[in-house]
Amino acid sequence: MIQIISGGVCAAQGFSAAGVHCGIRRNKSKKDLALIYSDVPAQAAAVYTANRVQGVPIAVTRRHLADGIARAVICNSGNANTCNADGEIVAEQMCALTAKELGLDADDVAVASTGVIGQPLDLTPIAAGLPTLVAALSEDGGADAADAIMTTDTRRKEIAVEFTLGGKICHLGGMAKGSGMIHPNMATMLVFITTDVHIPSHVLQIALHDDCKTSFNMVSVDGDTSTNDTVLVLANGEAGNAPVAFDSADYAIFREALQTVTVYLCREIARDGEGATRLLTCQVAGAADVLTARKAAKAVICSSLVKAAGFGADANWGRVLCALGYGVPELEPDNVDVSFRSAAGEITVCIAGRGIAFDEDVAKEILVQPEVTIAVSLGGGKHTAEAWGCDLTYDYVKINGNYRT
Amino acid sequence: MIQIISGGVCAAQGFSAAGVHCGIRRNKSKKDLALIYSDVPAQAAAVYTANRVQGVPIAVTRRHLADGIARAVICNSGNANTCNADGEIVAEQMCALTAKELGLDADDVAVASTGVIGQPLDLTPIAAGLPTLVAALSEDGGADAADAIMTTDTRRKEIAVEFTLGGKICHLGGMAKGSGMIHPNMATMLVFITTDVHIPSHVLQIALHDDCKTSFNMVSVDGDTSTNDTVLVLANGEAGNAPVAFDSADYAIFREALQTVTVYLCREIARDGEGATRLLTCQVAGAADVLTARKAAKAVICSSLVKAAGFGADANWGRVLCALGYGVPELEPDNVDVSFRSAAGEITVCIAGRGIAFDEDVAKEILVQPEVTIAVSLGGGKHTAEAWGCDLTYDYVKINGNYRT
């Protein structure tokens, strides 16, 4: 039984966090440096972007997590520290300075950066801000940390759950940033998850890898896979449970807790997509296999035309068929049904690949809601998938027409 | 020597065309029915969309062109006649009515439809308009036909060239419609090309197939592959040249003439992309093979973030690197150079995968021009490719937020 509780990365025992404004950004009211800290060494696992152009913080974090152990994560917003000549030195220095302030080895610190690509990241404000950041570490600091990693995000994204393993109360919580350049591929935006569960890093890595297939890999805001996507989990074992073994009953519970947190964060990222006015979910059923189901759901959620119709609350289901048609080479168009669903009701608009008469006013009422589901049945099997995205709006263009200035 | 001349589908000898308003659209000033006619039977070749959901006009045209011969093309705008229960009957009827009016076999008529998907197409206005349409057939009717196939297009797209084969003066001309749902895959939007060259349909088919790889398959407005994409060529042999054999010297000249016409139409389609304010070209050099070069050029031109930066005239080259990084699995980021070029000059912004200092004012002056080239060198070989797209603007969202109404 997975119960949602308040909090984020500090919900698990033995974790503290902080977020401050150090001066990477000019706007002093926007926090730009975050820290997560575990009282004891934690088992660590991470997945990263599949983009061939990778932020150097990923290279550094990969090295530092090679032994499966970490105790802290330092993360700045406002600059991605990617495609810079001195980027790797800067990322290593961020870890070294953080480690020094916390009395750790630099190897036990993970680093992440998010923001504009290709502009040098100045260490000066980070070095100057670190003492304040470390002094601010607190079990109540999760929200500040979640604020500090935001870029074009308009809302803080955090969640935590409670569950039991072998009679021990366990916690798992996370925070995310992500709003544009969101189309994860084997990884995602920046997501940091902490848990007090005792789980070896190699088991944790498998759990995270499998989780991403039905969570972060099923989100798209704009089809652009970022260079800095990272999902990182720290598990410090403070719950005192017996170590979670792969494929055990405890593993299944842990996976469910992890999926609860990651799917929540996915939906929050999609809902807060740059310029978005509504969360679009595509639920696919009737697929011959799970990969086909996922391909279909992603194709619909990624279509610029479906997204623009979402903005206009237009029941333009032909665009859903069109996206399925180019996204799913195995599609049998004559078997496809399409409905729209929201808090205002449900309406079927296409049966067996053909339009049916429907009430446009009813459809409009369903489509103007803040959360809309596009339900597709492929009519060729029993597999399902779900993907999340958002509408394409004037504000997406506004935000991205001149992001650097 | 390929010379551009005035005209479009009527530039070649023995072709006439017409375009009228028959009433599929409410707006009486918008022509909605087009006809192309050859005085004699023409060799015919076509390529179609790779979308699994295909407009029924494609199925009908495919059957009618099976013998490699056609004499007329009937095309309506305002309704795609796709995903409709009676669509195939309607498409066959369009051919039959046209054939009757022209005194032809229905099998010698090709049909195409473009517009909204999933709404029944009423034959009544088409049947009523056909006598007027046929009466209007003229060697000066190319522009009217080009107007009649437009949907959200803001400008007529036609071109013609003159060249000689074995001392005979030949002509090849074409028209296109396409502005949104443009991301051809083995085919494209609607393009009709006519020529008076004598070339057997099987040779013509190979020429067209090869041509599309470096023309229509390298255009993207919004990443959405349409259900009705069709490129159709009619060659009536009226120039009196010796039949063009595959891979002959004449074939090379014909290919060059065809490519001149198709690339021009590609650029016109991209320039007139829904809501576009500028034509973006991505030129890729230094690729290890031609497929890598094409993948790279398409990835850049398709990125929503590159497109939005294009609208803002923002020299955000990091987004170009990012798109190359997810679009080209073989990419070596440290070998990549990026420049921006236009009528106002050229500026290099990234060398060997790292940003270099550049003058933002100079970059802005280059990027505000109506035609901007993003020049990428992959540093890994000698192959090149070129792709065309446009910026992503408020008006794209406006046009597509409520297209049906």
Side-chain angles (χ1 to χ4, degrees), chain A residues 51-52 83-85 224-225 303-305 308 312 314 316 319 321-322 325-326 329 331 333 354 360 394 398 400-401 403-404, chain B residues 51-52 84-85 224-225 303-305 308 312 314 316 319 322 325-326 329 331 333 353-354 360 394 398 400-401 403-404:
Chain A
N51 196 309
R52 286 280 300 163
C83 302
N84 297 322
D224 279 281
T225 300
S303 158
S304 291
L305 290 165
D314 180 14
N316 199 329
R319 294 180 180 172
L321 266 275
C322 177
Y326 62 71
L331 191 78
R354 302 282 177 271
E360 291 276 357
Y394 299 118
K398 185 174 179 181
N400 288 300
Y403 174 66
R404 295 188 314 152
Chain B
N51 197 309
R52 286 283 297 166
N84 297 322
D224 280 281
T225 301
S303 159
S304 291
L305 289 166
D314 181 12
N316 200 329
R319 294 180 180 171
C322 178
Y326 63 69
L331 191 77
R354 303 281 177 270
E360 290 277 357
Y394 298 119
K398 186 174 179 182
N400 288 301
Y403 174 66
R404 293 188 315 152

Short mmCIF file of all heavy atoms in Angstrom, two decimals, chain A residues 51-52 83-85 224-225 303-305 308 312 314 316 319 321-322 325-326 329 331 333 354 360 394 398 400-401 403-404, chain B residues 51-52 84-85 224-225 303-305 308 312 314 316 319 322 325-326 329 331 333 353-354 360 394 398 400-401 403-404:
data_model
loop_
_atom_site.label_atom_id
_atom_site.label_comp_id
_atom_site.label_asym_id
_atom_site.label_seq_id
_atom_site.Cartn_x
_atom_site.Cartn_y
_atom_site.Cartn_z
N ASN A 51 21.20 11.63 -25.75
CA ASN A 51 21.74 12.60 -26.71
C ASN A 51 23.26 12.41 -26.82
O ASN A 51 23.93 12.22 -25.82
CB ASN A 51 21.42 14.03 -26.24
CG ASN A 51 21.59 15.05 -27.35
OD1 ASN A 51 22.61 15.12 -28.02
ND2 ASN A 51 20.56 15.86 -27.54
N ARG A 52 23.78 12.46 -28.08
CA ARG A 52 25.22 12.29 -28.28
C ARG A 52 25.99 13.52 -27.79
O ARG A 52 27.18 13.43 -27.51
CB ARG A 52 25.53 12.07 -29.77
CG ARG A 52 25.15 10.70 -30.26
CD ARG A 52 26.16 9.63 -29.91
NE ARG A 52 27.47 9.90 -30.47
CZ ARG A 52 28.60 9.32 -30.04
NH1 ARG A 52 28.56 8.46 -29.04
NH2 ARG A 52 29.74 9.60 -30.60
N CYS A 83 28.98 22.06 -23.79
CA CYS A 83 29.68 22.63 -24.95
C CYS A 83 30.53 23.83 -24.56
O CYS A 83 30.64 24.80 -25.33
CB CYS A 83 28.71 23.03 -26.07
SG CYS A 83 27.70 21.68 -26.67
N ASN A 84 31.14 23.79 -23.38
CA ASN A 84 32.08 24.83 -22.97
C ASN A 84 33.48 24.23 -22.89
O ASN A 84 33.65 23.10 -22.45
CB ASN A 84 31.72 25.40 -21.60
CG ASN A 84 30.37 26.08 -21.60
OD1 ASN A 84 30.02 26.73 -22.58
ND2 ASN A 84 29.62 25.91 -20.55
N ALA A 85 34.49 25.01 -23.28
CA ALA A 85 35.86 24.50 -23.30
C ALA A 85 36.32 24.05 -21.91
O ALA A 85 36.96 23.02 -21.76
CB ALA A 85 36.80 25.58 -23.85
N ASP A 224 12.27 17.62 -28.29
CA ASP A 224 13.71 17.85 -28.25
C ASP A 224 14.33 17.16 -27.03
O ASP A 224 14.10 17.56 -25.90
CB ASP A 224 14.00 19.36 -28.21
CG ASP A 224 13.92 19.98 -29.60
OD1 ASP A 224 14.90 19.84 -30.34
OD2 ASP A 224 12.89 20.57 -29.93
N THR A 225 15.13 16.13 -27.28
CA THR A 225 15.82 15.41 -26.22
C THR A 225 16.98 16.27 -25.71
O THR A 225 17.87 16.62 -26.47
CB THR A 225 16.39 14.08 -26.75
OG1 THR A 225 15.31 13.29 -27.22
CG2 THR A 225 17.14 13.32 -25.66
N SER A 303 2.79 14.97 -31.68
CA SER A 303 2.36 15.65 -32.91
C SER A 303 2.08 17.13 -32.66
O SER A 303 1.23 17.49 -31.84
CB SER A 303 1.10 14.98 -33.45
OG SER A 303 0.39 15.87 -34.30
N SER A 304 2.76 17.99 -33.39
CA SER A 304 2.53 19.44 -33.26
C SER A 304 1.07 19.78 -33.55
O SER A 304 0.51 20.69 -32.94
CB SER A 304 3.42 20.22 -34.22
OG SER A 304 4.76 20.14 -33.84
N LEU A 305 0.49 19.06 -34.50
CA LEU A 305 -0.88 19.38 -34.88
C LEU A 305 -1.88 18.92 -33.83
O LEU A 305 -2.86 19.60 -33.55
CB LEU A 305 -1.19 18.76 -36.26
CG LEU A 305 -0.44 19.46 -37.40
CD1 LEU A 305 -0.48 18.62 -38.66
CD2 LEU A 305 -1.03 20.84 -37.65
N ALA A 308 -1.50 21.52 -31.09
CA ALA A 308 -2.15 22.80 -31.39
C ALA A 308 -3.67 22.67 -31.31
O ALA A 308 -4.36 23.56 -30.81
CB ALA A 308 -1.72 23.30 -32.77
N GLY A 312 -6.55 24.65 -28.97
CA GLY A 312 -7.81 25.18 -29.46
C GLY A 312 -9.03 24.40 -28.99
O GLY A 312 -10.15 24.72 -29.35
N ASP A 314 -10.04 21.64 -29.95
CA ASP A 314 -10.68 21.26 -31.21
C ASP A 314 -10.66 19.72 -31.32
O ASP A 314 -9.61 19.10 -31.25
CB ASP A 314 -9.88 21.89 -32.35
CG ASP A 314 -10.46 21.57 -33.72
OD1 ASP A 314 -11.61 21.09 -33.79
OD2 ASP A 314 -9.76 21.80 -34.72
N ASN A 316 -10.26 17.55 -33.30
CA ASN A 316 -9.72 17.21 -34.61
C ASN A 316 -9.04 15.84 -34.57
O ASN A 316 -7.83 15.70 -34.66
CB ASN A 316 -8.71 18.30 -35.02
CG ASN A 316 -8.46 18.30 -36.52
OD1 ASN A 316 -8.53 17.24 -37.16
ND2 ASN A 316 -8.18 19.45 -37.07
N ARG A 319 -6.19 14.28 -36.88
CA ARG A 319 -4.77 14.46 -36.60
C ARG A 319 -4.23 13.35 -35.70
O ARG A 319 -3.04 13.02 -35.77
CB ARG A 319 -4.53 15.82 -35.94
CG ARG A 319 -4.85 16.97 -36.86
CD ARG A 319 -4.61 18.31 -36.18
NE ARG A 319 -4.92 19.41 -37.08
CZ ARG A 319 -4.94 20.68 -36.72
NH1 ARG A 319 -4.68 21.02 -35.46
NH2 ARG A 319 -5.23 21.63 -37.60
N LEU A 321 -5.38 10.20 -35.85
CA LEU A 321 -5.19 9.10 -36.82
C LEU A 321 -3.92 9.31 -37.63
O LEU A 321 -3.13 8.38 -37.85
CB LEU A 321 -6.39 9.05 -37.79
CG LEU A 321 -7.56 8.13 -37.48
CD1 LEU A 321 -7.29 6.72 -37.98
CD2 LEU A 321 -7.91 8.14 -36.02
N CYS A 322 -3.72 10.54 -38.08
CA CYS A 322 -2.55 10.86 -38.90
C CYS A 322 -1.26 10.55 -38.13
O CYS A 322 -0.34 9.92 -38.67
CB CYS A 322 -2.61 12.33 -39.30
SG CYS A 322 -1.19 12.89 -40.25
N GLY A 325 -0.69 6.99 -37.84
CA GLY A 325 -0.34 6.44 -39.16
C GLY A 325 1.14 6.57 -39.49
O GLY A 325 1.71 5.69 -40.13
N TYR A 326 1.76 7.68 -39.07
CA TYR A 326 3.20 7.77 -39.36
C TYR A 326 4.05 7.27 -38.22
O TYR A 326 5.21 6.95 -38.40
CB TYR A 326 3.63 9.19 -39.79
CG TYR A 326 3.45 10.31 -38.78
CD1 TYR A 326 4.24 10.39 -37.65
CD2 TYR A 326 2.50 11.29 -39.00
CE1 TYR A 326 4.09 11.44 -36.75
CE2 TYR A 326 2.34 12.34 -38.10
CZ TYR A 326 3.14 12.41 -36.98
OH TYR A 326 2.98 13.43 -36.09
N PRO A 329 4.29 1.87 -37.79
CA PRO A 329 4.33 1.21 -39.10
C PRO A 329 3.41 0.00 -39.19
O PRO A 329 3.00 -0.38 -40.29
CB PRO A 329 5.80 0.76 -39.21
CG PRO A 329 6.56 1.64 -38.28
CD PRO A 329 5.62 1.96 -37.16
N LEU A 331 0.39 -0.18 -37.97
CA LEU A 331 -1.01 0.21 -37.73
C LEU A 331 -1.97 -0.40 -38.75
O LEU A 331 -1.70 -0.45 -39.94
CB LEU A 331 -1.13 1.74 -37.80
CG LEU A 331 -2.46 2.31 -37.32
CD1 LEU A 331 -2.51 2.32 -35.80
CD2 LEU A 331 -2.69 3.72 -37.86
N PRO A 333 -5.28 0.85 -39.82
CA PRO A 333 -6.16 2.01 -39.63
C PRO A 333 -7.63 1.64 -39.44
O PRO A 333 -8.34 2.30 -38.68
CB PRO A 333 -5.95 2.82 -40.92
CG PRO A 333 -4.60 2.41 -41.42
CD PRO A 333 -4.43 0.97 -41.02
N ARG A 354 -13.11 5.34 -39.00
CA ARG A 354 -14.03 6.25 -39.69
C ARG A 354 -14.66 7.20 -38.69
O ARG A 354 -15.01 6.81 -37.58
CB ARG A 354 -15.16 5.46 -40.38
CG ARG A 354 -14.69 4.42 -41.37
CD ARG A 354 -14.29 5.07 -42.70
NE ARG A 354 -13.77 4.08 -43.64
CZ ARG A 354 -12.49 3.73 -43.74
NH1 ARG A 354 -11.59 4.28 -42.92
NH2 ARG A 354 -12.09 2.85 -44.64
N GLU A 360 -20.55 18.58 -31.31
CA GLU A 360 -19.36 19.44 -31.18
C GLU A 360 -19.35 20.21 -29.86
O GLU A 360 -18.29 20.47 -29.31
CB GLU A 360 -19.28 20.43 -32.36
CG GLU A 360 -18.97 19.78 -33.70
CD GLU A 360 -17.46 19.54 -33.93
OE1 GLU A 360 -16.65 19.93 -33.06
OE2 GLU A 360 -17.12 18.94 -34.96
N TYR A 394 0.80 29.86 -28.02
CA TYR A 394 1.55 31.07 -28.34
C TYR A 394 2.73 31.23 -27.39
O TYR A 394 3.81 31.65 -27.77
CB TYR A 394 0.67 32.31 -28.21
CG TYR A 394 -0.51 32.31 -29.14
CD1 TYR A 394 -1.82 32.32 -28.66
CD2 TYR A 394 -0.33 32.30 -30.52
CE1 TYR A 394 -2.89 32.31 -29.52
CE2 TYR A 394 -1.40 32.31 -31.39
CZ TYR A 394 -2.68 32.30 -30.89
OH TYR A 394 -3.74 32.30 -31.75
N LYS A 398 6.72 32.19 -27.61
CA LYS A 398 7.24 33.38 -26.93
C LYS A 398 8.44 33.03 -26.06
O LYS A 398 9.49 33.67 -26.11
CB LYS A 398 6.12 33.98 -26.08
CG LYS A 398 6.47 35.30 -25.42
CD LYS A 398 5.25 35.88 -24.73
CE LYS A 398 5.58 37.18 -24.04
NZ LYS A 398 4.41 37.72 -23.34
N ASN A 400 10.44 30.49 -26.24
CA ASN A 400 11.59 29.95 -26.95
C ASN A 400 12.09 30.80 -28.11
O ASN A 400 13.12 30.50 -28.70
CB ASN A 400 11.29 28.54 -27.43
CG ASN A 400 11.27 27.59 -26.25
OD1 ASN A 400 12.26 27.46 -25.55
ND2 ASN A 400 10.12 26.97 -26.00
N GLY A 401 11.36 31.85 -28.43
CA GLY A 401 11.81 32.75 -29.49
C GLY A 401 13.05 33.51 -29.05
O GLY A 401 13.87 33.89 -29.86
N TYR A 403 15.00 32.81 -25.71
CA TYR A 403 15.29 32.25 -24.40
C TYR A 403 16.58 32.78 -23.79
O TYR A 403 16.70 32.97 -22.61
CB TYR A 403 15.38 30.73 -24.53
CG TYR A 403 15.81 29.97 -23.31
CD1 TYR A 403 15.02 29.94 -22.16
CD2 TYR A 403 17.01 29.28 -23.32
CE1 TYR A 403 15.43 29.22 -21.05
CE2 TYR A 403 17.42 28.56 -22.21
CZ TYR A 403 16.63 28.54 -21.07
OH TYR A 403 17.04 27.83 -19.98
N ARG A 404 17.61 33.03 -24.66
CA ARG A 404 18.91 33.39 -24.12
C ARG A 404 18.96 34.78 -23.51
O ARG A 404 19.82 35.08 -22.71
CB ARG A 404 19.98 33.30 -25.21
CG ARG A 404 20.21 31.88 -25.73
CD ARG A 404 21.41 31.90 -26.65
NE ARG A 404 21.28 33.03 -27.57
CZ ARG A 404 22.32 33.65 -28.12
NH1 ARG A 404 23.53 33.28 -27.85
NH2 ARG A 404 22.11 34.66 -28.96
N ASN B 51 2.63 7.31 -44.65
CA ASN B 51 1.69 7.20 -43.52
C ASN B 51 0.80 5.97 -43.71
O ASN B 51 0.33 5.70 -44.81
CB ASN B 51 0.83 8.46 -43.45
CG ASN B 51 0.15 8.62 -42.10
OD1 ASN B 51 -0.51 7.70 -41.61
ND2 ASN B 51 0.29 9.78 -41.49
N ARG B 52 0.59 5.21 -42.60
CA ARG B 52 -0.26 4.01 -42.67
C ARG B 52 -1.73 4.38 -42.84
O ARG B 52 -2.54 3.56 -43.28
CB ARG B 52 -0.09 3.17 -41.40
CG ARG B 52 1.23 2.41 -41.34
CD ARG B 52 1.24 1.17 -42.21
NE ARG B 52 0.26 0.20 -41.76
CZ ARG B 52 -0.14 -0.85 -42.47
NH1 ARG B 52 0.36 -1.05 -43.68
NH2 ARG B 52 -1.03 -1.68 -41.99
N ASN B 84 -13.21 8.47 -44.25
CA ASN B 84 -14.66 8.57 -44.42
C ASN B 84 -15.20 7.23 -44.90
O ASN B 84 -14.56 6.55 -45.70
CB ASN B 84 -15.02 9.63 -45.47
CG ASN B 84 -14.59 11.01 -45.04
OD1 ASN B 84 -14.68 11.34 -43.86
ND2 ASN B 84 -14.10 11.79 -45.98
N ALA B 85 -16.40 6.88 -44.45
CA ALA B 85 -16.98 5.58 -44.78
C ALA B 85 -17.16 5.42 -46.29
O ALA B 85 -16.88 4.37 -46.86
CB ALA B 85 -18.30 5.40 -44.05
N ASP B 224 4.82 16.52 -39.01
CA ASP B 224 3.66 15.66 -39.18
C ASP B 224 3.54 15.20 -40.64
O ASP B 224 3.24 15.99 -41.53
CB ASP B 224 2.38 16.40 -38.76
CG ASP B 224 2.20 16.39 -37.25
OD1 ASP B 224 1.76 15.36 -36.72
OD2 ASP B 224 2.52 17.39 -36.60
N THR B 225 3.77 13.91 -40.87
CA THR B 225 3.64 13.33 -42.19
C THR B 225 2.17 13.20 -42.55
O THR B 225 1.43 12.50 -41.87
CB THR B 225 4.30 11.93 -42.24
OG1 THR B 225 5.67 12.06 -41.89
CG2 THR B 225 4.19 11.30 -43.61
N SER B 303 13.68 20.54 -35.33
CA SER B 303 13.66 20.85 -33.89
C SER B 303 12.77 22.05 -33.59
O SER B 303 12.97 23.15 -34.12
CB SER B 303 15.09 21.16 -33.43
OG SER B 303 15.05 21.92 -32.24
N SER B 304 11.78 21.85 -32.72
CA SER B 304 10.89 22.95 -32.33
C SER B 304 11.69 24.10 -31.73
O SER B 304 11.36 25.27 -31.92
CB SER B 304 9.88 22.47 -31.30
OG SER B 304 8.96 21.59 -31.88
N LEU B 305 12.73 23.77 -31.00
CA LEU B 305 13.52 24.81 -30.34
C LEU B 305 14.38 25.59 -31.33
O LEU B 305 14.51 26.81 -31.22
CB LEU B 305 14.38 24.19 -29.23
CG LEU B 305 13.53 23.71 -28.03
CD1 LEU B 305 14.36 22.81 -27.12
CD2 LEU B 305 12.99 24.90 -27.24
N ALA B 308 11.85 27.84 -33.09
CA ALA B 308 11.43 28.99 -32.28
C ALA B 308 12.56 30.01 -32.19
O ALA B 308 12.32 31.22 -32.24
CB ALA B 308 10.99 28.53 -30.89
N GLY B 312 12.78 34.08 -33.28
CA GLY B 312 13.34 35.15 -32.46
C GLY B 312 14.66 35.68 -32.99
O GLY B 312 15.27 36.55 -32.38
N ASP B 314 17.46 34.38 -32.85
CA ASP B 314 18.36 34.18 -31.71
C ASP B 314 19.45 33.18 -32.13
O ASP B 314 19.15 32.07 -32.55
CB ASP B 314 17.53 33.62 -30.54
CG ASP B 314 18.36 33.40 -29.30
OD1 ASP B 314 19.51 33.88 -29.25
OD2 ASP B 314 17.85 32.74 -28.36
N ASN B 316 21.03 30.88 -31.06
CA ASN B 316 21.10 29.85 -30.02
C ASN B 316 21.61 28.54 -30.63
O ASN B 316 20.88 27.56 -30.76
CB ASN B 316 19.70 29.67 -29.42
CG ASN B 316 19.75 29.01 -28.05
OD1 ASN B 316 20.64 28.21 -27.79
ND2 ASN B 316 18.82 29.34 -27.20
N ARG B 319 21.08 24.78 -29.40
CA ARG B 319 19.93 23.97 -29.81
C ARG B 319 20.23 23.20 -31.09
O ARG B 319 19.67 22.12 -31.31
CB ARG B 319 18.70 24.86 -30.01
CG ARG B 319 18.24 25.48 -28.71
CD ARG B 319 17.03 26.37 -28.94
NE ARG B 319 16.58 26.96 -27.69
CZ ARG B 319 15.65 27.91 -27.60
NH1 ARG B 319 15.08 28.35 -28.71
NH2 ARG B 319 15.29 28.38 -26.44
N CYS B 322 22.23 20.31 -29.90
CA CYS B 322 21.32 19.40 -29.20
C CYS B 322 20.55 18.54 -30.20
O CYS B 322 20.44 17.32 -30.04
CB CYS B 322 20.38 20.21 -28.31
SG CYS B 322 19.17 19.21 -27.44
N GLY B 325 22.66 16.03 -31.72
CA GLY B 325 23.00 15.01 -30.73
C GLY B 325 21.96 13.93 -30.59
O GLY B 325 22.28 12.76 -30.37
N TYR B 326 20.67 14.30 -30.72
CA TYR B 326 19.66 13.24 -30.62
C TYR B 326 19.28 12.70 -31.99
O TYR B 326 18.72 11.61 -32.08
CB TYR B 326 18.43 13.68 -29.82
CG TYR B 326 17.60 14.82 -30.36
CD1 TYR B 326 16.85 14.69 -31.52
CD2 TYR B 326 17.55 16.03 -29.69
CE1 TYR B 326 16.08 15.74 -32.00
CE2 TYR B 326 16.79 17.08 -30.16
CZ TYR B 326 16.06 16.93 -31.31
OH TYR B 326 15.31 17.97 -31.78
N PRO B 329 22.89 9.33 -34.22
CA PRO B 329 23.52 8.46 -33.22
C PRO B 329 25.04 8.35 -33.40
O PRO B 329 25.74 8.06 -32.44
CB PRO B 329 22.85 7.10 -33.47
CG PRO B 329 21.58 7.42 -34.17
CD PRO B 329 21.83 8.66 -34.97
N LEU B 331 27.05 10.79 -34.16
CA LEU B 331 27.69 12.10 -34.05
C LEU B 331 28.93 12.08 -33.15
O LEU B 331 28.95 11.46 -32.09
CB LEU B 331 26.69 13.11 -33.45
CG LEU B 331 27.13 14.58 -33.52
CD1 LEU B 331 26.95 15.12 -34.93
CD2 LEU B 331 26.35 15.43 -32.53
N PRO B 333 30.48 14.86 -31.25
CA PRO B 333 30.22 16.27 -30.91
C PRO B 333 31.46 17.16 -31.00
O PRO B 333 31.37 18.32 -31.39
CB PRO B 333 29.71 16.19 -29.47
CG PRO B 333 29.16 14.81 -29.34
CD PRO B 333 30.00 13.94 -30.21
N GLY B 353 32.69 21.75 -31.48
CA GLY B 353 31.73 21.46 -30.41
C GLY B 353 31.75 22.44 -29.25
O GLY B 353 31.05 22.22 -28.25
N ARG B 354 32.51 23.52 -29.38
CA ARG B 354 32.59 24.50 -28.30
C ARG B 354 32.19 25.88 -28.82
O ARG B 354 32.58 26.25 -29.93
CB ARG B 354 34.02 24.61 -27.74
CG ARG B 354 34.60 23.30 -27.23
CD ARG B 354 34.06 22.97 -25.83
NE ARG B 354 34.55 21.68 -25.37
CZ ARG B 354 33.94 20.52 -25.59
NH1 ARG B 354 32.82 20.48 -26.28
NH2 ARG B 354 34.44 19.40 -25.11
N GLU B 360 27.04 39.56 -31.09
CA GLU B 360 25.59 39.27 -31.09
C GLU B 360 24.84 40.18 -32.06
O GLU B 360 23.85 39.76 -32.66
CB GLU B 360 25.01 39.43 -29.68
CG GLU B 360 25.45 38.35 -28.69
CD GLU B 360 24.62 37.06 -28.79
OE1 GLU B 360 23.66 37.01 -29.57
OE2 GLU B 360 24.96 36.08 -28.07
N TYR B 394 3.88 32.35 -33.52
CA TYR B 394 2.54 32.46 -32.93
C TYR B 394 1.47 32.04 -33.94
O TYR B 394 0.50 31.40 -33.60
CB TYR B 394 2.26 33.91 -32.51
CG TYR B 394 3.20 34.42 -31.47
CD1 TYR B 394 4.03 35.50 -31.71
CD2 TYR B 394 3.27 33.81 -30.20
CE1 TYR B 394 4.90 35.98 -30.74
CE2 TYR B 394 4.13 34.28 -29.24
CZ TYR B 394 4.95 35.37 -29.50
OH TYR B 394 5.80 35.82 -28.55
N LYS B 398 -1.88 29.70 -34.00
CA LYS B 398 -3.19 30.29 -34.31
C LYS B 398 -3.90 29.51 -35.42
O LYS B 398 -5.06 29.14 -35.30
CB LYS B 398 -2.98 31.75 -34.75
CG LYS B 398 -4.25 32.53 -34.97
CD LYS B 398 -3.92 33.98 -35.25
CE LYS B 398 -5.19 34.78 -35.50
NZ LYS B 398 -4.86 36.19 -35.81
N ASN B 400 -3.42 26.46 -36.37
CA ASN B 400 -3.72 25.07 -36.07
C ASN B 400 -4.50 24.85 -34.78
O ASN B 400 -4.88 23.73 -34.47
CB ASN B 400 -2.42 24.26 -36.04
CG ASN B 400 -1.89 24.08 -37.45
OD1 ASN B 400 -2.58 23.51 -38.27
ND2 ASN B 400 -0.72 24.58 -37.71
N GLY B 401 -4.70 25.92 -34.03
CA GLY B 401 -5.50 25.79 -32.81
C GLY B 401 -6.96 25.52 -33.14
O GLY B 401 -7.69 24.91 -32.38
N TYR B 403 -8.26 24.81 -36.77
CA TYR B 403 -8.25 24.69 -38.23
C TYR B 403 -9.60 24.31 -38.80
O TYR B 403 -10.00 24.76 -39.87
CB TYR B 403 -7.20 23.65 -38.63
CG TYR B 403 -7.15 23.29 -40.09
CD1 TYR B 403 -6.79 24.21 -41.05
CD2 TYR B 403 -7.48 22.00 -40.50
CE1 TYR B 403 -6.72 23.87 -42.38
CE2 TYR B 403 -7.40 21.65 -41.83
CZ TYR B 403 -7.03 22.59 -42.77
OH TYR B 403 -6.97 22.24 -44.08
N ARG B 404 -10.34 23.47 -38.03
CA ARG B 404 -11.57 22.94 -38.63
C ARG B 404 -12.67 23.96 -38.77
O ARG B 404 -13.59 23.78 -39.55
CB ARG B 404 -12.08 21.76 -37.79
CG ARG B 404 -11.16 20.54 -37.83
CD ARG B 404 -11.85 19.37 -37.15
NE ARG B 404 -12.44 19.86 -35.91
CZ ARG B 404 -13.51 19.34 -35.34
NH1 ARG B 404 -14.11 18.31 -35.89
NH2 ARG B 404 -13.98 19.84 -34.21
#
